Amino acid sequence: MSFVEYGDTIKDGDTAIVFLGHESMFPVKVQHGTVTQTKYGVIRHSTDLIGKKYGSKVTCSKGGWVFILHPTPELWTMNLPHRTQILYSTDISIITMMLELKPGSIVCESGTGSGSLSHALIRTVAPTGHLYTVEFHQQRAEKAREEFREHGVEHLVTVTNQDVCKNGFGVSNIADAVFLDIPSPWEAIGHAKSALKAEGGRICSFSPCIEQVQRTCLAMEEYGFTEINTLEILLRVYNVRTISLQIPDLGKAAEDNSSTGFDSSNTSNQGSPCANLQQGTVQFKSGVPLREMVGHTGYLTFATKS
């Protein structure tokens, strides 16, 4: 099993996603002789998982069933153990696009955190690219190394435990892109410039506060970066619903039209929205935004090394 190479069958030692529903799923490490408890009963790894195909429907001990999914960066983002605040797919997708990442790209990242963005970057640059990720916190760096090894991507990533603001990324003039998610990104702009390739490299900084963005933009200008721009990505979901609206009273002319053109006894008009004018309402499909939505997460500032 690897997060960048699809495996057909579940093997001992794999990380799999137990899918109970769109709002209920969790990761599990498959181990011979181990059991996993769910609200539908017990899943026995030896008999229910190992050797089965990913995507299989597994019946639990109480008669309920779950699906066992192959892990992807998107599923891992939704289910990973949180050691820090993480980036979600909405921001990750725009970061990947604006940094112009592709297979073979070299990327530097700080900090590693819980590894949400890291897994997506690794999948994007595989199989010939590489991710250099720097984490200030020693325990988080060690845990990240362990997860990358378990997920079969350790050959595509180098984890370094150091302060990027003081010591940089440990590489020079090779990176196609740099990503910063640290409290004071303006202190690391010089190291980011040193890590980027000679010309045309891209940089992105994620900050929750506009004051951080202002200082970062000033530092980018000082170090000669161009095409500096800041984005904020807000996700707004719409529900498709059937809406009923009352027909307005438009006077005698409207009554004449309704009596001649929209006779309710005429079966040819039964399917039209105007067929129920006599009831005084019309129904149609409409997109309605949710009453609540995910608000501000952070500002994404992009720039190019010239």
Side-chain angles (χ1 to χ4, degrees), residues 134-240:
V134 178
E135 174 56 52
F136 175 78
H137 194 274
Q138 182 179 357
Q139 285 74 26
R140 288 201 292 262
E142 293 173 352
K143 186 61 179 177
R145 289 193 193 98
E146 179 184 343
E147 285 181 350
F148 293 143
R149 184 169 57 254
E150 291 178 351
H151 298 164
V153 296
E154 72 275 8
H155 62 291
L156 296 169
V157 57
T158 299
V159 182
T160 305
N161 173 220
Q162 63 186 28
D163 185 353
V164 70
C165 296
K166 295 180 179 179
N167 307 113
F169 293 94
V171 296
S172 300
N173 302 319
I174 65 169
D176 297 288
V178 169
F179 177 79
L180 298 174
D181 183 6
I182 55 178
S184 52
W186 55 89
E187 296 181 1
I189 298 300
H191 295 296
K193 183 177 181 180
S194 299
L196 287 168
K197 59 186 181 182
E199 185 178 356
R202 295 279 286 164
I203 184 174
C204 174
S205 174
F206 177 90
S207 296
C209 301
I210 196 64
E211 292 82 5
Q212 294 171 300
V213 174
Q214 292 171 330
R215 295 189 64 175
T216 301
C217 289
L218 291 174
M220 287 178 175
E221 286 185 341
E222 180 182 346
Y223 281 95
F225 284 89
T226 60
E227 299 177 346
I228 302 171
N229 63 89
T230 299
L231 309 177
E232 182 183 18
I233 311 302
L234 299 178
L235 179 63
R236 190 173 189 182
V237 180
Y238 281 78
N239 282 340
V240 177

Side-chain angles (χ1 to χ4, degrees), residues 72-96 99 101 107-121 133 178-182 204-208 231-233 294-302:
T72 64
E74 290 77 17
L75 288 174
W76 184 245
T77 291
M78 297 171 63
N79 296 281
L80 57 77
H82 285 232
R83 300 183 288 273
T84 60
Q85 291 287 341
I86 69 170
L87 291 176
Y88 290 92
S89 297
T90 306
D91 287 315
I92 291 174
S93 60
I94 198 72
I95 291 169
T96 303
L99 290 182
L101 302 182
V107 186
C108 293
E109 175 198 25
S110 183
T112 311
S114 301
S116 174
L117 176 64
S118 303
H119 282 82
L121 295 178
T133 182
V178 169
F179 177 79
L180 298 174
D181 183 6
I182 55 178
C204 174
S205 174
F206 177 90
S207 296
L231 309 177
E232 182 183 18
I233 311 302
V294 177
H296 172 72
T297 57
Y299 300 103
L300 294 169
T301 300
F302 297 91

Side-chain angles (χ1 to χ4, degrees), residues 270-282:
Q270 292 297 320
S272 68
C274 299
N276 42 351
L277 281 174
Q278 287 186 342
Q279 286 74 34
T281 61
V282 61

Side-chain angles (χ1 to χ4, degrees), residues 257-272 274-279:
N257 289 336
S258 64
S259 63
T260 57
F262 302 105
D263 186 0
S264 60
S265 62
N266 188 348
T267 56
S268 63
N269 291 328
Q270 292 297 320
S272 68
C274 299
N276 42 351
L277 281 174
Q278 287 186 342
Q279 286 74 34

Side-chain angles (χ1 to χ4, degrees), residues 10 42-52 56-61 68:
I10 305 170
V42 172
I43 301 173
R44 295 175 174 83
H45 294 199
S46 300
T47 56
D48 296 334
L49 299 184
I50 297 177
K52 299 290 183 66
S56 296
K57 183 178 179 180
V58 174
T59 302
C60 305
S61 61
I68 308 300

Side-chain angles (χ1 to χ4, degrees), residues 16-26 40 43 56 65-69 75 78-79:
I17 305 297
V18 179
F19 181 89
L20 292 81
H22 289 290
E23 303 297 329
S24 179
M25 64 184 87
F26 59 89
Y40 300 126
I43 301 173
S56 296
W65 46 267
V66 300
F67 288 104
I68 308 300
L69 305 181
L75 288 174
M78 297 171 63
N79 296 281

